[in-house]
Amino acid sequence: MNKDFSQADFYGEYNVYESDVKAFYPERARNTHKGTYGSACIVAGSVRYIGAAALSAEAALKSGCGYVKLTCSEYVKLALAAKYPQVIFLDEPDLNSQAIAIGMGCGVNKELYILTERLLSEYTGTLIIDADGLNSIAEYGLALLETERKCRVLLTPHVKEFSRLAGIEVNEILKRPIEYSRNFANDYGITLLLKGADSIITDGKRTKINTRGSTALAKGGSGDMLSGYICGTSARGLEPFESALCSAYTLGVSAEISSKEKTDYCVTAKDILKNIHKAVKLLTK
């Protein structure tokens, strides 16, 4: 493989190369249709965090999947429907979707926890749990991750969220992040994307570290975009480990492009969304 990002060499066996990620963007056959590329369902947003739903849905729209569905309150729907005519708005998650992402901007509450528990027991696709979905699990009980399930599960915490889930102090996690991430993924039979300046992706057996990105991502909304993009790439057929790797790398490249245009200080989540197509174009040459 060609080494194309020198910082990645620091991680040795955990390196991620551009050639690895290019494989996740195969050439699209001409004789295809919406159903060929899968359906992504986003469960996000609340009165306080309408933007989380918008960022997640827009990222999914740019991921290459065929359908994007947004499960949200009527209040959020009224705020976003005209802006996103491509999105299908739902009152309940569509369990026929190839991928479902839940938790972005939903608020920590028992209803979200119960819905997550139901999805874990009934859903058969790929379930991505982020943000308040993770915080609700930490608040109301980690036991639901131990229940028998048919779906593939991907958790996307930052270090503080992971600390709440694992019951381990942040400073301790930062001493051995790969070890703690891998052990947690293995113990619960899930894939974990531990977000940070360098993000760890592991399913307990395989582990990679994404070094692409900039401090432009250290702003509100970055995680919402990532979860939406992961949901879309999962919908079009990638396994959770592959989807997490592809999405973290792609948004990292988009952040780098945005930083060159506007500096890390001035880049917003919306800027990174607008440049996703430039990152994908680089990866599909």
Side-chain angles (χ1 to χ4, degrees), residues 132-147:
D132 289 328
L134 299 171
N135 292 329
S136 293
I137 292 173
E139 176 71 19
Y140 296 105
L142 200 60
L144 88 174
L145 291 179
E146 300 171 347
T147 57

Side-chain angles (χ1 to χ4, degrees), residues 232-284:
T233 55
S234 297
R236 63 180 177 84
L238 274 64
E239 295 295 318
F241 182 84
E242 299 170 337
S243 183
L245 183 56
C246 172
S247 301
Y249 192 98
T250 302
L251 264 68
V253 173
S254 182
E256 291 170 9
I257 293 169
S258 303
S259 296
K260 288 179 181 178
E261 293 177 350
K262 295 190 173 183
T263 78
D264 285 8
Y265 283 97
C266 300
V267 171
T268 66
K270 194 71 174 176
D271 295 322
I272 296 170
L273 272 176
K274 288 180 179 178
N275 280 330
I276 285 177
H277 73 284
K278 296 179 183 178
V280 174
K281 191 171 183 178
L282 289 172
L283 294 168
T284 52

Side-chain angles (χ1 to χ4, degrees), residues 11 23 52 59 95 103 106 176 181 189 197 221 252 262 264:
Y11 290 109
L95 300 191
C106 291
R176 301 193 301 277
S181 298
K262 295 190 173 183
D264 285 8

